[in-house]
């Protein structure tokens, strides 16, 4: 007697094989038969030609804090995700001393756009070390499977305290940090993550700790992966970090390196392709490097209370530590505005915002006539400079005006080339972070709907490989990511003719009734994690069961 049989589906095996018609039988959480299924089952689903694939592995999330109050990792499971890798970019919540909790929450507020009120109300600090954090997640359970990075910034703060954001580490500090990374990896972390990106700033505009690491520190910590013989090194790369250096780290540690965030900029259209070329050459020399790319245009909603869009600009730095009146005075300051205009006028190798004023829109304003118009448009009509106009609108409304900006990754010809690149990894959903700015948790459904069905850039089989088999292999996730006998039954049943992520909408369900952006799936007919249904036929999450596992063992 099987526990579950799904009959008459279009099977996509997650390894890139051509789709074929058949069924899947599940017992005790594992796939036990594939093809023509005979024998009875407790539960039978007639797929009627719908597509069945392994559940999506979302390799770039920030659910570290959210999971402590929301084990359903909403909205990811409903959007087809059955495994989430958390702790990307080095921004984790473990290890963390009691005395550093407030600082860590404030940093997350700044760098990942999380609400401080939400973190204070929701985050359960029942751990100090990485092993204790892993144990807590395991005790509590989760709707999806979870892999956890050891995060550089947390490790650095744990060892160096406040100096973590101020200076390079000495030999003894590096030794202690390496000890913590090893401890985390031995307890079951999936790898080591960091960021050298100038866009990553913490409380008071200080750089996130990992940005202060010198090469010797980076080398020592990445080589911890080599010592344990498993795990990946993930980094969000600043422009000054050379791919040749990362190749060196890949060689010394003999571990894979994931380089984020390769987002296409229309003002510097060749930059990401140069990076991908260097990544390809490193692979030809026998190193394992992949470029993390996104299948979603980077569109953000924001107010000037938290203008992530501008915070990577050098000229914005004087405003970063300011609050209240000092901050608004700075926004009015003519010299400050001039230096911003000058910086935006100069080309940059990589920059989140490049003065694309026609891509910045007013979403919500006290003056309805401004809504849905671009800043470029409004500036032209008013005969004013775009930056001045935008700052003035916001200042008039106590900074409450909501803007949206379509920043990167909107050139579909270019993004299509990136998605098809042999050494790219479809990634960067950032699920769990930037909850009021954007919501790409449904990136997998978007890949299947938009890039496969609407644009025909990828075949269905190739897209499913990129969402399942490829990340499973890269991260060493055992017996997941493929429809194969013996594999855990993480499954997504969907209609290839309609699948898509639904429109983004605002809901108020975070701790304390705080808002976030979310979306519902379209064309999802069921999601199972370890053989247990977590999403119903209508695509809604079925709360109650927490069948996900904490992933602790990874292949070499
Ligand atoms: Zn991230």
């Amino acid at each position: 007697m099987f526990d579950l049989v799904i009959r008459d589906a279009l099977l996509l095996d997650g390894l890139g094989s051509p789709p074929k018609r058949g069924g899947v039988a599940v017992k005790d959480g594992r796939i036990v038969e594939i093809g023509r299924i005979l024998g009875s089952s407790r539960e039978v689903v007639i797929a009627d030609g719908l597509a069945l694939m392994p559940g999506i592995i979302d390799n770039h999330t920030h659910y570290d804090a959210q999971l402590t109050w929301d084990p359903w990792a909403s909205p990811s499971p409903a959007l087809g995700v059955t495994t989430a890798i958390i702790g990307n970019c080095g921004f984790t919540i473990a290890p963390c001393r009691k005395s550093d909790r407030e600082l860590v929450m404030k940093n997350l507020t700044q760098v990942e756009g999380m609400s401080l009120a939400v973190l204070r109300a929701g985050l359960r600090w029942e751990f100090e070390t990485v092993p204790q954090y892993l144990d807590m997640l395991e005790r509590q359970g989760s709707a999806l499977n979870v892999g956890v990075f050891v995060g550089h910034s947390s490790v650095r703060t744990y060892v160096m305290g406040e100096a973590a954001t101020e200076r390079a580490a000495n030999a003894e500090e590096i030794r202690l940090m390496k000890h913590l990374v090893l401890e985390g990896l031995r307890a079951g972390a999936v790898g080591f993550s960091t960021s050298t990106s100038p866009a990553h700033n913490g409380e008071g505009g200080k750089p996130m700790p990992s940005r202060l690491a010198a090469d010797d520190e980076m080398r020592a910590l990445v080589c911890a992966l080599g010592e344990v013989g498993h795990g990946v090194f993930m980094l969000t790369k600043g422009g000054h970090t050379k791919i040749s250096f990362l190749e060196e780290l890949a060689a010394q540690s003999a571990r894979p390196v994931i380089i984020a965030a390769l987002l296409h900029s229309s003002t510097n259209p060749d930059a990401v392709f140069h990076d991908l070329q260097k990544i390809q050459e490193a692979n030809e020399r026998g190193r394992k490097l992949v470029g993390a790319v996104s299948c979603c245009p980077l569109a953000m909603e924001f107010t000037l209370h938290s203008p992530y869009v501008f915070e990577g600009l050098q000229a914005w730095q004087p405003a970063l530590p300011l609050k209240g009146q000092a901050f608004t005075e700075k926004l009015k300051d003519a010299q400050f505005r001039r230096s911003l205009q000058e910086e935006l006028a100069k080309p940059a190798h990589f920059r989140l915002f490049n003065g694309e004023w026609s891509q910045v829109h007013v979403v919500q304003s006290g003056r309805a006539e401004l809504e849905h118009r671009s800043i470029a448009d409004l500036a032209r009509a008013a005969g004013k400079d775009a930056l001045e106009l935008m700052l003035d609108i916001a200042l008039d409304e106590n900074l409450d005006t909501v803007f949206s900006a379509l920043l990167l990754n909107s050139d579909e010809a270019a993004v299509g080339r990136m998605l098809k690149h042999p050494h790219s990894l479809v990634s960067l959903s950032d699920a769990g972070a930037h909850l009021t700015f954007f919501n790409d948790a449904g990136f997998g459904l978007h890949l299947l709907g938009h890039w496969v069905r609407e644009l025909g850039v990828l075949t269905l089989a190739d897209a499913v490989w990129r969402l399942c088999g490829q990340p499973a292999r890269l991260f060493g996730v055992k017996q997941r990511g493929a429809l194969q006998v013996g594999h855990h039954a993480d499954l997504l049943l969907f209609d290839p003719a309609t699948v898509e992520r639904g429109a983004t909408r605002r809901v108020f369900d975070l701790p304390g009734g705080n808002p976030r952006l979310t979306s519902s799936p379209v064309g999802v007919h069921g999601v199972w994690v370890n053989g247990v249904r977590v999403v119903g036929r209508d695509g809604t999450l079925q709360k109650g069961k927490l069948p996900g596992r904490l992933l602790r063992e990874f292949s070499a």
Side-chain angles (χ1 to χ4, degrees), residues 506-518:
R506 204 168 281 263
V507 291
F508 295 82
D509 63 356
L510 289 176
N514 283 286
R516 67 182 172 110
L517 298 173
T518 189

Side-chain angles (χ1 to χ4, degrees), residues 138-395:
E138 195 159 56
R139 257 195 327 271
Q140 169 194 285
S142 51
L144 37 61
N145 308 303
V146 177
V148 183
F149 273 117
V150 179
H152 193 173
S153 282
S154 300
V155 164
R156 210 167 199 272
T157 300
Y158 194 87
V159 169
M160 298 173 68
E162 289 201 356
T165 59
E166 287 158 7
R167 60 167 173 84
N170 62 37
E172 174 61 7
E173 287 160 344
I174 293 175
R175 194 186 65 76
L176 291 169
M177 281 190 250
K178 184 174 175 183
H179 175 77
L180 291 172
V181 175
L182 284 169
E183 177 189 72
L185 290 169
R186 290 192 175 119
V190 70
F192 171 68
S193 66
T194 191
S195 166
T196 61
S197 167
H200 283 153
N201 299 294
E203 163 73 354
K206 287 186 183 165
M208 284 301 280
S210 61
R211 289 180 51 200
L212 279 294
D215 288 358
D216 59 336
E217 174 181 336
M218 209 55 105
R219 191 173 289 119
L221 301 184
V222 175
C223 282
L225 296 166
E227 284 181 33
V228 298
H230 72 80
V232 294
F233 171 46
M234 176 280 154
L235 99 160
T236 297
K237 188 177 87 63
H240 60 286
T241 307
K242 298 273 173 293
I243 290 186
S244 54
F245 175 59
L246 301 173
E247 181 179 350
E248 219 179 287
L249 296 182
Q252 285 170 5
S253 66
R255 299 308 311 160
V257 177
I258 299 174
I259 301 169
L262 302 191
L263 293 163
H264 187 259
S265 160
S266 298
T267 54
N268 190 3
D270 299 326
V272 287
F273 293 106
H274 288 151
D275 284 350
L276 283 168
Q277 179 61 30
K278 288 189 198 122
I279 288 171
Q280 169 141 10
E281 287 161 12
N283 277 275
E284 284 159 7
R285 287 186 282 267
R287 315 298 170 219
K288 183 79 192 151
L289 275 65
V290 295
V293 303
S294 169
C295 64
C296 304
L298 188 62
M300 281 193 160
E301 286 193 8
F302 64 99
T303 66
L304 286 189
H305 290 296
S306 183
Y308 190 76
V309 168
F310 296 129
E311 288 173 352
L313 295 173
Q314 209 48 47
W316 194 269
Q317 301 312 302
L320 263 185
L322 304 179
K323 290 203 166 91
Q325 184 158 6
F327 181 60
T328 52
E329 287 307 318
K330 182 56 84 177
L331 298 188
K332 289 179 196 159
D333 181 76
Q335 179 56 43
F336 174 69
R337 291 180 171 200
R338 214 163 24 247
S339 61
L340 281 170
Q341 288 158 337
E342 283 166 12
E343 183 171 351
L344 285 170
K346 279 187 246 148
H349 175 70
F350 177 83
R351 195 161 60 193
L352 190 57
F353 181 62
N354 293 284
E356 300 97 333
W357 297 108
S358 60
Q359 310 275 32
V360 182
H361 286 78
V362 177
V363 176
Q364 222 175 73
S365 158
R367 293 160 61 194
E369 71 274 17
L370 301 181
E371 290 182 2
H372 310 298
R373 293 187 64 188
S374 75
I375 297 299
D377 231 26
L378 291 166
R380 218 174 295 121
K384 277 178 82 172
D385 171 80
L387 176 82
E388 305 249 9
L389 173 109
M390 180 174 174
L391 295 178
D392 289 343
I393 291 176
L395 285 164

